[in-house]
Every structure is written in C-alpha cells, then in structure tokens.
Amino acid sequence: MPPAPRTGSTPAGPPFDAVCLGETMVAFRPAGPERLADAQLFVRGVGGAESNVACLLAGAGHRVRWVGCLGTDGFGDHVLAEIAARGVDVSAVRRDPDRPTGLYFRTDGERCTTSERPADGALAEVLYHRAGSAASAMSPATVDRAVANSGRVLHLSGITPALSDSCHALVWELTAPRPGRPLLSFDVNYRVGLWKRRDPAVLLDLARRCDVVFVGADEARAVWGADGPEAVRDLLPEPSVLVVKDGGRGATAHTADGSCHVPALSVEVAGSVGAGDAFAAGFLSATLRGLPVRARLRHGHLTAAAALTVPGDLAEPPARSVADRLAALDDAAWGRLRLGPGWTTRKA
C-alpha cells in the first residue's frame, strides 16, 4: 500500500476539481414583490449560470476555478469579490478596460416554468444589459486552453455560445474531441431572448460533443421538439450521462446502464432563480465523489431545494453530512421530505 500523502501536499491530478467558464453579471431584483416598472428599491446580487455552479461546488468542499471576463468598472470589482468570497479561484478572470460588466434586472419568477410559477400568477420579468459586455468578447484567443482544462471537470452552458460569434467559437473549440480533455459538463440553459438572432439548433451539436449533459424537459420540447426523457435520449445518444429535468416531477438520468428516475422533493418555494444551476452543482459534486447515479440525482434535487428556498441567485448548499444522510433515505422517506426556507442552516 502506498504511503498516505503528507498534510499540505499537492493532490495528484489536475489542480482543480472543476473549472466553470461563462459570463457573470450584476443582478438587481426589486426589494419587494413589485414589477420592474414599479420598483424603487433593488437588491444587488451576482448572477451567472456557470459561476453559480462554481460557488456551490466550492461550498460543497471542492477545489473550483471560475473563468470569465469582466469590465474594469466597479461592478466587475463586485462580481470578482463576491465569487472569490465563496472560495472560488478567480486568478484566471480577465478584465477588459474597453467593455463593461454585464447587468440584468429580474423579478423572482424569472426562470420559472409554467408548473413552477407563483400561485398568484405573477408575471416573470427579466431585462438584460449585456450587449457588448466584456464577457461577450471572449474567444479562443482570449482563453488559455490549459486554464480551461485545469480541472477534472469543465462545466459550460448554452448561454455562452449565444452571446457572440467569438463566444460560440470558444465553446466549439473547448468541446472538440481530443485526448486528455477533462470530463465535459454542458447545461443547455436555453434562454429565448438570447437566441432571437441566432440558431439554437447549435445547442444540439454542442451537447453531442459533451460527456454530461443537463437539459430541461421544457427546453427539449421548445428547441428540439423532443417530448419526454426517452425522446431526448434518442436525440442525444452520445453523452455518457444525459440528465433530463422535469421541474416538480423529478429528473431522469440516462447512462450506459439504463435510465434512473428520482422524483423531485416537496419544497416551499421562495424563489426559483438558480435552481437549475444548483441541480447541476449537486449532481456534479456527487459525480466528483464517485457516487452512483441515483445518489447523484438526489444530491442534485437537494442542492436545487437549497436554491428554491431562498429568494436570491445563490444559497448555501446543505452540509455534505446532511445531504448524504438525506440522499440515503429509502423511497418512502424521500417522498415524505418537506423542505422550507432555512432548512440548510438548521441543525440536522
């Protein structure tokens, strides 16, 4: 048996467990339940699908790097400080003196599907100010491939290729089959507004080049006309793991060993923004730990439940010991779980 590594020694393999690449913006949401038109006070936060995943993975105890580009403005300073404060490495983030950091304004229902919309029928609103942002100028020439490949997992999303031709070229290059590349994780993350002037069919081509793919059932219907987990798998046989999320109904993972479905948890929803990113983070955390597919799906649901029970973009993930205990419940006990605001911070 080889000797145990000395305390403080550098772990073998890549320096990071995961690298997450994409745009992060400053997010503003009304302080109350108003429409954007009526709000006078806004709460400032940070929003970015890939950096959300990075922060949650770091909170779960993983070594994580976020790669992106920000303006040299104060908003860029804020984004950088917030992500670094979550324990994420930001040393590879570029600052562009000629382009601004992206901004967006949203109400709490921004990313709700029909089945998840608030009971009062409140209309979701989102207003982006990201055209010409620093991140939209990312390209194969501005991102060091060695930096992008410095983790066991490289996590990307379908938001980045929608930002510009150069961003599309970057994601296309990073997903190219080549020896020694990290495990490629891709969240389709279809945003209708971003694809108005572009062909979203490229999302299918990109997904086919990746190893772990996350897609919502509603996204698959809207973009590809695929209805149901089996239809999505027929369309995407290439990824070694394909996860089809279906809101409150649950999620199905397709692997070489077959399909595994895990029902969603019963959750008191405070805000739906970031739940999809949280699911991906929980699933990837369990993947990095070598857990079986069923446990990966349950960890995805638990981390999503943490996001659903807070109004902001990011929530503290449950402690690993708590998540492991809940993920190990039998089916009946899993079905009885009811999670509300504050459940991740209370003593188990």
Side-chain angles (χ1 to χ4, degrees):
M1 179 180 294
R6 292 175 297 173
T7 302
S9 62
T10 302
F16 297 96
D17 293 323
V19 173
C20 303
L21 182 150
E23 180 174 33
T24 298
M25 299 174 288
V26 174
F28 294 93
R29 61 180 175 85
E34 306 101 329
R35 301 181 308 151
L36 293 180
D38 301 325
Q40 296 188 37
L41 295 175
F42 289 84
V43 176
R44 183 181 67 172
V46 169
E50 301 84 2
S51 60
N52 285 349
V53 173
C55 291
L56 289 164
L57 283 172
H62 299 284
R63 301 163 295 144
V64 190
R65 161 179 275 172
W66 172 60
V67 178
C69 189
L70 301 165
T72 53
D73 46 42
F75 286 136
D77 294 343
H78 174 65
V79 169
L80 204 64
E82 285 292 304
I83 294 176
R86 297 268 182 170
V88 176
D89 180 276
V90 294
S91 61
V93 175
R94 293 181 66 253
R95 306 297 296 272
D96 189 329
D98 301 317
R99 296 178 177 86
T101 302
L103 310 176
Y104 80 107
F105 297 79
R106 67 164 178 84
T107 55
D108 283 338
E110 175 208 341
R111 298 180 192 170
C112 289
T113 64
T114 302
S115 62
E116 294 170 334
R117 291 200 185 282
D120 61 7
L123 181 64
E125 295 178 90
V126 59
L127 179 63
Y128 290 108
H129 291 276
R130 74 197 312 175
S133 69
S136 70
M138 290 191 296
S139 73
T142 66
V143 175
D144 187 335
R145 188 185 298 170
V147 168
N149 292 345
S150 58
R152 294 166 56 195
V153 172
L154 172 59
H155 180 70
L156 307 166
S157 90
I159 293 174
T160 305
L163 299 180
S164 66
D165 290 342
S166 65
C167 283
H168 180 203
L170 171 62
V171 177
W172 188 256
E173 178 173 302
L174 292 175
T175 57
R178 61 171 57 93
R181 77 176 191 180
L183 187 78
L184 278 181
S185 168
F186 184 74
D187 192 336
V188 171
N189 246 324
Y190 176 60
R191 299 285 179 265
V192 177
L194 288 177
W195 289 98
K196 286 181 178 178
R197 295 176 178 84
R198 297 179 180 276
D199 183 3
V202 303
L203 292 169
L204 184 61
D205 296 328
L206 289 167
R208 284 173 169 160
R209 296 158 68 95
C210 297
D211 304 303
V212 180
V213 173
F214 302 93
V215 63
D218 53 347
E219 294 174 314
R221 281 191 296 270
V223 188
W224 303 325
D227 194 2
E230 296 303 326
V232 180
R233 185 53 163 175
D234 289 342
L235 197 63
L236 272 171
E238 295 87 355
S240 55
V241 180
L242 171 65
V243 180
V244 182
K245 303 170 293 178
D246 197 6
R249 297 176 184 85
T252 302
H254 298 284
T255 68
D257 295 326
S259 301
C260 177
H261 176 82
V262 171
L265 292 162
S266 177
V267 177
E268 182 183 340
V269 178
S272 62
V273 176
D277 305 329
F279 184 97
F283 190 94
L284 290 174
S285 175
T287 300
L288 286 163
R289 296 170 58 200
L291 301 183
V293 171
R294 184 181 186 81
R296 298 179 199 181
L297 287 168
R298 285 193 169 189
H299 277 274
H301 283 312
L302 288 163
T303 311
L308 288 166
T309 51
V310 298
D313 284 56
L314 275 174
E316 290 295 326
R320 184 176 289 186
S321 59
V322 174
D324 282 344
R325 180 172 61 82
L326 295 179
L329 292 173
D330 61 39
D331 289 346
W334 176 263
R336 289 194 299 268
L337 276 178
R338 302 291 184 271
L339 302 176
W343 75 272
T344 61
T345 56
R346 299 188 187 113
K347 288 185 178 180

